[in-house]
Amino acid sequence: MSSTEFNTLLLGNADFLRPYAVTLTKDTESAKDLYQETLFRALANRDKYLAGTNIRAWLYTIMRNIFINNYRRGNRQFRLLDNSAGEFLLHQQQPVIGNGAETNLRIKDVHMAVYNLPVIFKQPFMLYFEGYKYFEIAAMLNEPLGTVKSRIHFARKMLKSRIARY
């Protein structure tokens, strides 16, 4: 297929992409960017299009993949600033004055709860807490891997029930 034929076919089917872009992004400006990027990628990869196949499906697939990649890329980026006027910092809910006594009481409660665990649960839990992997703990205790995982799970469950929430 010549590039002229491909361009004609592409432009004849490109208008169907606009509503799909709006559906994906829920924003007209982002939809325009997605539409433009899709057409660019289609033109850049015209050699990968097989003549006679459904070009709409090919274009929809390109658009969907671009959208998914952009979404994943956006999730990886940490957004610290809000888009509101003044761009106030988010998550600035730090206490004005720290309460060391309350913190010490919480730590004592946690230590007591761990100390009072049955030995069968405490030993694998403490090893896991110290940073060992499940398979390493299983080898140290000479227990099956599933047993170690379940004991750590039950230890966590017991600790959650024993430690009061403040």
Side-chain angles (χ1 to χ4, degrees), residues 127-128 130-143 145 148:
L127 289 170
Y128 183 76
E130 290 171 6
Y132 291 100
K133 305 289 183 204
Y134 288 123
F135 69 90
E136 294 171 331
I137 297 168
M140 282 185 219
L141 301 178
N142 201 18
E143 295 283 346
L145 182 63
V148 169

PDB file of all heavy atoms in Angstrom, residues 127-128 130-143 145 148:
ATOM      1  N   LEU A 127      11.156 -12.758  62.611  1.00  0.00           N
ATOM      2  CA  LEU A 127      12.127 -12.912  61.527  1.00  0.00           C
ATOM      3  C   LEU A 127      11.692 -12.125  60.292  1.00  0.00           C
ATOM      4  O   LEU A 127      12.501 -11.480  59.633  1.00  0.00           O
ATOM      5  CB  LEU A 127      12.308 -14.395  61.189  1.00  0.00           C
ATOM      6  CG  LEU A 127      13.058 -15.222  62.247  1.00  0.00           C
ATOM      7  CD1 LEU A 127      12.969 -16.702  61.914  1.00  0.00           C
ATOM      8  CD2 LEU A 127      14.499 -14.768  62.354  1.00  0.00           C
ATOM      9  N   TYR A 128      10.389 -12.179  59.993  1.00  0.00           N
ATOM     10  CA  TYR A 128       9.867 -11.425  58.855  1.00  0.00           C
ATOM     11  C   TYR A 128      10.018  -9.927  59.109  1.00  0.00           C
ATOM     12  O   TYR A 128      10.391  -9.163  58.221  1.00  0.00           O
ATOM     13  CB  TYR A 128       8.402 -11.790  58.615  1.00  0.00           C
ATOM     14  CG  TYR A 128       7.810 -11.106  57.423  1.00  0.00           C
ATOM     15  CD1 TYR A 128       8.095 -11.527  56.133  1.00  0.00           C
ATOM     16  CD2 TYR A 128       6.970 -10.004  57.578  1.00  0.00           C
ATOM     17  CE1 TYR A 128       7.559 -10.890  55.027  1.00  0.00           C
ATOM     18  CE2 TYR A 128       6.437  -9.361  56.484  1.00  0.00           C
ATOM     19  CZ  TYR A 128       6.724  -9.809  55.214  1.00  0.00           C
ATOM     20  OH  TYR A 128       6.203  -9.173  54.124  1.00  0.00           O
ATOM     21  N   GLU A 130      12.244  -8.495  60.849  1.00  0.00           N
ATOM     22  CA  GLU A 130      13.662  -8.142  60.747  1.00  0.00           C
ATOM     23  C   GLU A 130      14.145  -8.082  59.303  1.00  0.00           C
ATOM     24  O   GLU A 130      15.269  -7.671  59.043  1.00  0.00           O
ATOM     25  CB  GLU A 130      14.508  -9.145  61.535  1.00  0.00           C
ATOM     26  CG  GLU A 130      14.324  -9.011  63.036  1.00  0.00           C
ATOM     27  CD  GLU A 130      14.988 -10.131  63.822  1.00  0.00           C
ATOM     28  OE1 GLU A 130      15.693 -10.953  63.207  1.00  0.00           O
ATOM     29  OE2 GLU A 130      14.776 -10.180  65.041  1.00  0.00           O
ATOM     30  N   GLY A 131      13.300  -8.493  58.348  1.00  0.00           N
ATOM     31  CA  GLY A 131      13.645  -8.332  56.942  1.00  0.00           C
ATOM     32  C   GLY A 131      13.927  -9.605  56.181  1.00  0.00           C
ATOM     33  O   GLY A 131      14.274  -9.549  55.007  1.00  0.00           O
ATOM     34  N   TYR A 132      13.773 -10.739  56.823  1.00  0.00           N
ATOM     35  CA  TYR A 132      14.000 -11.999  56.111  1.00  0.00           C
ATOM     36  C   TYR A 132      12.833 -12.290  55.174  1.00  0.00           C
ATOM     37  O   TYR A 132      11.687 -11.916  55.447  1.00  0.00           O
ATOM     38  CB  TYR A 132      14.166 -13.158  57.102  1.00  0.00           C
ATOM     39  CG  TYR A 132      15.447 -13.096  57.896  1.00  0.00           C
ATOM     40  CD1 TYR A 132      15.456 -12.612  59.203  1.00  0.00           C
ATOM     41  CD2 TYR A 132      16.644 -13.515  57.340  1.00  0.00           C
ATOM     42  CE1 TYR A 132      16.623 -12.547  59.936  1.00  0.00           C
ATOM     43  CE2 TYR A 132      17.823 -13.450  58.064  1.00  0.00           C
ATOM     44  CZ  TYR A 132      17.804 -12.966  59.354  1.00  0.00           C
ATOM     45  OH  TYR A 132      18.967 -12.895  60.069  1.00  0.00           O
ATOM     46  N   LYS A 133      13.119 -12.964  54.092  1.00  0.00           N
ATOM     47  CA  LYS A 133      12.090 -13.373  53.128  1.00  0.00           C
ATOM     48  C   LYS A 133      11.422 -14.649  53.636  1.00  0.00           C
ATOM     49  O   LYS A 133      11.963 -15.370  54.467  1.00  0.00           O
ATOM     50  CB  LYS A 133      12.712 -13.633  51.743  1.00  0.00           C
ATOM     51  CG  LYS A 133      13.494 -12.475  51.196  1.00  0.00           C
ATOM     52  CD  LYS A 133      12.584 -11.360  50.807  1.00  0.00           C
ATOM     53  CE  LYS A 133      13.389 -10.234  50.188  1.00  0.00           C
ATOM     54  NZ  LYS A 133      12.758  -8.979  50.278  1.00  0.00           N
ATOM     55  N   TYR A 134      10.234 -14.919  53.089  1.00  0.00           N
ATOM     56  CA  TYR A 134       9.484 -16.099  53.514  1.00  0.00           C
ATOM     57  C   TYR A 134      10.302 -17.381  53.364  1.00  0.00           C
ATOM     58  O   TYR A 134      10.350 -18.209  54.266  1.00  0.00           O
ATOM     59  CB  TYR A 134       8.196 -16.242  52.705  1.00  0.00           C
ATOM     60  CG  TYR A 134       7.127 -15.234  53.037  1.00  0.00           C
ATOM     61  CD1 TYR A 134       6.607 -14.403  52.065  1.00  0.00           C
ATOM     62  CD2 TYR A 134       6.608 -15.129  54.323  1.00  0.00           C
ATOM     63  CE1 TYR A 134       5.615 -13.491  52.348  1.00  0.00           C
ATOM     64  CE2 TYR A 134       5.619 -14.215  54.633  1.00  0.00           C
ATOM     65  CZ  TYR A 134       5.123 -13.396  53.641  1.00  0.00           C
ATOM     66  OH  TYR A 134       4.144 -12.496  53.928  1.00  0.00           O
ATOM     67  N   PHE A 135      10.952 -17.542  52.212  1.00  0.00           N
ATOM     68  CA  PHE A 135      11.683 -18.785  51.976  1.00  0.00           C
ATOM     69  C   PHE A 135      12.890 -18.911  52.906  1.00  0.00           C
ATOM     70  O   PHE A 135      13.271 -20.005  53.301  1.00  0.00           O
ATOM     71  CB  PHE A 135      12.093 -18.917  50.500  1.00  0.00           C
ATOM     72  CG  PHE A 135      13.139 -17.955  50.038  1.00  0.00           C
ATOM     73  CD1 PHE A 135      14.482 -18.288  50.120  1.00  0.00           C
ATOM     74  CD2 PHE A 135      12.784 -16.719  49.505  1.00  0.00           C
ATOM     75  CE1 PHE A 135      15.456 -17.402  49.683  1.00  0.00           C
ATOM     76  CE2 PHE A 135      13.750 -15.838  49.076  1.00  0.00           C
ATOM     77  CZ  PHE A 135      15.094 -16.174  49.166  1.00  0.00           C
ATOM     78  N   GLU A 136      13.475 -17.783  53.290  1.00  0.00           N
ATOM     79  CA  GLU A 136      14.592 -17.825  54.240  1.00  0.00           C
ATOM     80  C   GLU A 136      14.117 -18.242  55.629  1.00  0.00           C
ATOM     81  O   GLU A 136      14.780 -19.028  56.317  1.00  0.00           O
ATOM     82  CB  GLU A 136      15.272 -16.458  54.313  1.00  0.00           C
ATOM     83  CG  GLU A 136      15.958 -16.022  53.039  1.00  0.00           C
ATOM     84  CD  GLU A 136      16.445 -14.577  53.076  1.00  0.00           C
ATOM     85  OE1 GLU A 136      15.840 -13.746  53.788  1.00  0.00           O
ATOM     86  OE2 GLU A 136      17.432 -14.293  52.383  1.00  0.00           O
ATOM     87  N   ILE A 137      12.964 -17.718  56.021  1.00  0.00           N
ATOM     88  CA  ILE A 137      12.396 -18.078  57.323  1.00  0.00           C
ATOM     89  C   ILE A 137      12.037 -19.556  57.343  1.00  0.00           C
ATOM     90  O   ILE A 137      12.289 -20.259  58.329  1.00  0.00           O
ATOM     91  CB  ILE A 137      11.157 -17.203  57.631  1.00  0.00           C
ATOM     92  CG1 ILE A 137      11.567 -15.731  57.724  1.00  0.00           C
ATOM     93  CG2 ILE A 137      10.483 -17.651  58.924  1.00  0.00           C
ATOM     94  CD1 ILE A 137      10.406 -14.767  57.733  1.00  0.00           C
ATOM     95  N   ALA A 138      11.468 -20.027  56.245  1.00  0.00           N
ATOM     96  CA  ALA A 138      11.100 -21.445  56.154  1.00  0.00           C
ATOM     97  C   ALA A 138      12.332 -22.330  56.288  1.00  0.00           C
ATOM     98  O   ALA A 138      12.299 -23.365  56.963  1.00  0.00           O
ATOM     99  CB  ALA A 138      10.378 -21.707  54.831  1.00  0.00           C
ATOM    100  N   ALA A 139      13.422 -21.911  55.679  1.00  0.00           N
ATOM    101  CA  ALA A 139      14.654 -22.696  55.777  1.00  0.00           C
ATOM    102  C   ALA A 139      15.224 -22.655  57.199  1.00  0.00           C
ATOM    103  O   ALA A 139      15.688 -23.675  57.721  1.00  0.00           O
ATOM    104  CB  ALA A 139      15.683 -22.172  54.782  1.00  0.00           C
ATOM    105  N   MET A 140      15.179 -21.502  57.852  1.00  0.00           N
ATOM    106  CA  MET A 140      15.713 -21.365  59.212  1.00  0.00           C
ATOM    107  C   MET A 140      14.921 -22.208  60.212  1.00  0.00           C
ATOM    108  O   MET A 140      15.501 -22.833  61.103  1.00  0.00           O
ATOM    109  CB  MET A 140      15.656 -19.909  59.662  1.00  0.00           C
ATOM    110  CG  MET A 140      16.720 -19.025  59.107  1.00  0.00           C
ATOM    111  SD  MET A 140      16.543 -17.413  59.867  1.00  0.00           S
ATOM    112  CE  MET A 140      16.905 -16.379  58.492  1.00  0.00           C
ATOM    113  N   LEU A 141      13.587 -22.182  60.059  1.00  0.00           N
ATOM    114  CA  LEU A 141      12.732 -22.889  61.007  1.00  0.00           C
ATOM    115  C   LEU A 141      12.461 -24.330  60.599  1.00  0.00           C
ATOM    116  O   LEU A 141      11.769 -25.045  61.330  1.00  0.00           O
ATOM    117  CB  LEU A 141      11.411 -22.132  61.174  1.00  0.00           C
ATOM    118  CG  LEU A 141      11.514 -20.696  61.678  1.00  0.00           C
ATOM    119  CD1 LEU A 141      10.142 -20.047  61.744  1.00  0.00           C
ATOM    120  CD2 LEU A 141      12.181 -20.667  63.046  1.00  0.00           C
ATOM    121  N   ASN A 142      12.939 -24.689  59.418  1.00  0.00           N
ATOM    122  CA  ASN A 142      12.723 -26.036  58.887  1.00  0.00           C
ATOM    123  C   ASN A 142      11.224 -26.357  58.799  1.00  0.00           C
ATOM    124  O   ASN A 142      10.767 -27.405  59.249  1.00  0.00           O
ATOM    125  CB  ASN A 142      13.473 -27.079  59.734  1.00  0.00           C
ATOM    126  CG  ASN A 142      13.685 -28.357  58.962  1.00  0.00           C
ATOM    127  OD1 ASN A 142      13.593 -28.376  57.731  1.00  0.00           O
ATOM    128  ND2 ASN A 142      13.984 -29.429  59.683  1.00  0.00           N
ATOM    129  N   GLU A 143      10.463 -25.405  58.270  1.00  0.00           N
ATOM    130  CA  GLU A 143       9.016 -25.527  58.096  1.00  0.00           C
ATOM    131  C   GLU A 143       8.674 -25.323  56.625  1.00  0.00           C
ATOM    132  O   GLU A 143       9.413 -24.661  55.898  1.00  0.00           O
ATOM    133  CB  GLU A 143       8.281 -24.456  58.924  1.00  0.00           C
ATOM    134  CG  GLU A 143       8.430 -24.592  60.414  1.00  0.00           C
ATOM    135  CD  GLU A 143       7.558 -25.694  60.999  1.00  0.00           C
ATOM    136  OE1 GLU A 143       6.647 -26.172  60.290  1.00  0.00           O
ATOM    137  OE2 GLU A 143       7.806 -26.067  62.151  1.00  0.00           O
ATOM    138  N   LEU A 145       6.975 -23.632  53.374  1.00  0.00           N
ATOM    139  CA  LEU A 145       6.779 -22.216  53.055  1.00  0.00           C
ATOM    140  C   LEU A 145       5.357 -21.761  53.372  1.00  0.00           C
ATOM    141  O   LEU A 145       5.149 -20.692  53.944  1.00  0.00           O
ATOM    142  CB  LEU A 145       7.101 -21.971  51.567  1.00  0.00           C
ATOM    143  CG  LEU A 145       7.004 -20.541  51.077  1.00  0.00           C
ATOM    144  CD1 LEU A 145       8.017 -19.662  51.785  1.00  0.00           C
ATOM    145  CD2 LEU A 145       7.224 -20.481  49.574  1.00  0.00           C
ATOM    146  N   VAL A 148       4.828 -21.132  57.083  1.00  0.00           N
ATOM    147  CA  VAL A 148       5.448 -19.875  57.524  1.00  0.00           C
ATOM    148  C   VAL A 148       4.565 -18.694  57.135  1.00  0.00           C
ATOM    149  O   VAL A 148       4.311 -17.798  57.948  1.00  0.00           O
ATOM    150  CB  VAL A 148       6.868 -19.735  56.936  1.00  0.00           C
ATOM    151  CG1 VAL A 148       7.418 -18.342  57.155  1.00  0.00           C
ATOM    152  CG2 VAL A 148       7.789 -20.773  57.536  1.00  0.00           C
TER     153      VAL A 148
END
